[in-house]
Amino acid sequence: MRIPTPLQSYTGAADINVAVPVLAPELPPTLGGVLAALDGAYPGIRFRMIDEQGHVRPHIKLFIDQALTRDIRAPIPTGATVMIVAALSGG
Amino acid sequence: MPRTKKAARPAAARRIRLLIATRKGLWTLTSDLARNAWKLAGPHFLGHTVHHVIGDPRDGKTLLAAARTGHLGPTVFRSLDNGKTWKEAAKPPAFTEGGGRVVDHTFWLTPGHASESGTWYAGTSPQGLFRSVDGGATWEGVAGFNQHPKRKAWCGGDQDGTPDGPKLHSILVDPRDPKHLYVGMSSGGVFESTDAGGDWRPLNQGVRADFQPDPNAEYGHDPHCVRLAAGHPDRLYQQNHCGIFRIDRPNDRWQEIGDTMPKAVGYVGFPMVVHPRDPDTLWVFPMDGTSVWPRTSPGGRPAVYRSRDGGRSWKRQDQGLPKAQAWWTVKRQAMTADTRDPAGLYLGTTSGEIWGSRDEGRTFRCLARHLPQIYAVEAG
């Protein structure tokens, strides 16, 4: 995973690996599962990105490899990179 | 007037520390024993929007800070060593999953009753009430408010309300009874619970809501700041969008006290501070509420107005403050008093200055400048 600077206070690094259990080959992990695993390793980080209704917060962008998604049910292919971008303009 | 609860004793000569919450982080400003020399320290949480930071008077060492950033969701940070180190709450205030509502930011923090160590209350934007019983580590919604069948009627929609989002603020705990609570909401009005938040009722009679079709409606008002009088918890004061008011319980009707303010200054403002020992003494900081509501100091000449008779009369206090071309204002959490005798009075401005008085507002001087926009100031 690639972590943006606003969230590196949790991870201490920009690039991290997250292990996500795969229950069955036909059931790939989802973005939500990856974020849950991330939160397990770095408690509190998920809520800064995902609100209590499961929606990606307005100024957070999530990419699975090159594809932008706002759906935390999106499947994650084996070996994929999840990139988190904190996008905000203004003073 | 009768006093039903002993007011705070004057604090012995000791240093005063101001906790300064800003749009870009937290700073502290600490005095010498004479409150003459001040030392600025910080920032903590640089880049975070810090809406409120306050200490726990019950243990003298716990601080809670309500923070978020432009990108990241809202959270609460805790310090158990007076601000030396901070740790994020394991479960910050958040609405019930599946309920559709989202906390944008935690706006207000209040330590609980003296008999309930570890209990804290938090008010959020949009309007929500949360409670922690473990010193701010984990928070649960107060269901009696957040899920009250009339909450939406009281508060309006989550997208309605003030420019920075509708807020639940001014969480007040009766020092005689931990179950007796008040909250203020912009918008919504003042509400009271006598069962620790299980049920609530509006307490807005006598307060105008000039922006509503019915200015005398039961709810939907816009209190900006509500305070309990020191040593006399049956008395509350409120700086409202539409005036300044006082109530003496068990009466249910507020009495207007802002109509004695000078007409050229008006009765509009955000903050209100009560004297730490005298329930008849309070301060307000007027702002321009004419025409399009510039929300600046009226005429660019900032001043505090003090009443020593429960709001029957007011005296302008501006000695030391800029005499002209000072267009800042003071937000609802950004004026506070210490408990020394004479009490110190402190203003945090939208232009990033701290002004202080160590003689109850008779004279002011600038204690710090060039900070980000100041959202809240607490003295400890």
Side-chain angles (χ1 to χ4, degrees):
Chain A
M1 297 189 72
R2 302 217 67 185
I3 308 295
T5 55
L7 289 168
Q8 288 174 20
S9 61
Y10 291 88
T11 61
D15 294 296
I16 60 170
N17 293 310
V18 175
V20 184
V22 177
L23 300 178
E26 67 277 16
L27 290 174
T30 62
L31 180 57
V34 170
L35 295 175
L38 180 70
D39 197 67
Y42 308 103
I45 191 170
R46 181 183 182 277
F47 187 64
R48 308 302 300 275
M49 299 182 279
I50 309 293
D51 69 31
E52 56 265 59
Q53 305 307 332
H55 300 135
V56 181
R57 294 191 184 276
H59 300 290
I60 294 290
K61 292 187 184 304
L62 300 172
F63 292 86
I64 301 170
D65 290 327
Q66 303 297 312
L68 174 67
T69 183
R70 299 192 72 80
D71 184 356
I72 63 171
R73 297 168 300 180
I76 305 289
T78 301
T81 295
V82 174
M83 182 175 178
I84 304 166
V85 176
L88 187 70
S89 60
Chain B
M1 64 175 301
R3 299 185 188 191
T4 53
K5 178 77 180 177
K6 201 170 187 178
R9 291 180 180 174
R14 61 176 176 80
R15 299 173 196 277
I16 298 298
R17 181 175 64 170
L18 302 181
L19 301 167
I20 306 165
T22 83
R23 187 167 177 267
K24 298 285 186 177
L26 162 67
W27 279 261
T28 62
L29 190 60
T30 305
S31 77
D32 61 5
L33 291 177
R35 295 178 293 179
N36 184 44
W38 293 79
K39 184 176 181 182
L40 188 68
H44 306 278
F45 314 121
L46 181 62
H48 280 70
T49 303
V50 183
H51 281 98
H52 199 194
V53 184
I54 189 167
D56 188 342
R58 297 164 297 187
D59 67 10
K61 64 181 183 181
T62 298
L63 303 178
L64 294 193
R68 64 162 296 152
T69 75
H71 317 85
L72 307 180
T75 194
V76 169
F77 292 102
R78 311 163 63 221
S79 174
L80 303 179
D81 54 11
N82 251 324
K84 293 186 181 71
T85 60
W86 294 86
K87 187 174 181 183
E88 186 176 353
K91 186 181 178 190
F95 289 117
T96 306
E97 188 176 349
R101 304 185 77 206
V102 173
V103 172
D104 182 80
H105 58 272
T106 297
F107 181 73
W108 188 283
L109 296 162
T110 292
H113 191 268
S115 67
E116 296 180 330
S117 80
T119 294
W120 285 76
Y121 290 93
T124 62
S125 175
Q127 302 97 321
L129 181 63
F130 296 83
R131 178 163 37 213
S132 170
V133 295
D134 56 9
T138 61
W139 295 82
E140 298 291 341
V142 176
F145 178 82
N146 295 348
Q147 293 166 30
H148 195 287
K150 294 197 75 175
R151 182 199 57 75
K152 191 166 183 181
W154 292 341
C155 304
D158 289 353
Q159 304 306 315
D160 300 337
T162 54
D164 290 337
K167 301 179 191 314
L168 189 147
H169 57 81
S170 301
I171 305 166
L172 306 171
V173 182
D174 188 330
R176 301 161 300 188
D177 178 3
K179 295 182 178 178
H180 187 202
L181 308 172
Y182 299 96
V183 299
M185 289 186 291
S186 305
S187 54
V190 176
F191 289 74
E192 178 183 31
S193 171
T194 54
D195 58 1
D199 195 12
W200 295 82
R201 69 183 189 93
L203 186 65
N204 299 300
Q205 288 182 50
V207 180
R208 293 190 318 276
D210 295 338
F211 47 84
Q212 295 221 76
D214 176 6
N216 300 309
E218 188 181 9
Y219 45 79
H221 298 69
D222 187 6
H224 288 174
C225 187
V226 189
R227 302 288 187 187
L228 280 178
H232 185 55
D234 279 333
R235 170 172 288 185
L236 292 85
Y237 294 101
Q238 92 168 263
Q239 172 68 71
N240 187 284
H241 188 91
C242 299
I244 309 169
F245 299 87
R246 185 187 76 215
I247 192 169
D248 290 290
R249 311 301 312 280
N251 293 333
D252 282 346
R253 189 169 191 83
W254 294 83
Q255 176 183 348
E256 183 159 15
I257 58 173
D259 50 358
T260 53
M261 288 282 286
K263 292 290 181 285
V265 172
Y267 48 67
V268 175
F270 275 128
M272 165 174 277
V273 169
V274 294
H275 191 281
R277 290 171 294 281
D278 178 4
D280 287 331
T281 295
L282 67 153
W283 292 270
V284 294
F285 185 91
M287 67 180 181
D288 189 342
T290 61
S291 65
V292 295
W293 278 66
R295 299 163 195 249
T296 62
S297 301
R301 294 183 293 118
V304 165
Y305 278 75
R306 183 204 65 200
S307 176
R308 298 180 75 170
D309 53 13
R312 292 176 183 83
S313 63
W314 300 89
K315 176 182 171 60
R316 182 180 178 95
Q317 294 184 310
D318 63 0
Q319 191 174 335
L321 294 173
K323 295 300 181 193
Q325 295 290 359
W327 298 99
W328 39 263
T329 193
V330 177
K331 294 203 161 190
R332 74 187 81 203
Q333 295 163 290
M335 185 162 77
T336 192
D338 66 30
T339 56
R340 295 269 298 267
D341 188 13
L345 190 65
Y346 307 96
L347 316 175
T349 76
T350 49
S351 60
E353 296 171 351
I354 296 285
W355 292 80
S357 167
R358 52 180 179 171
D359 53 12
E360 307 204 345
R362 291 178 186 86
T363 59
F364 285 90
R365 68 189 179 95
C366 188
L367 306 180
R369 50 170 48 104
H370 308 313
L371 295 172
Q373 182 177 4
I374 293 171
Y375 284 175
V377 179
E378 296 284 352

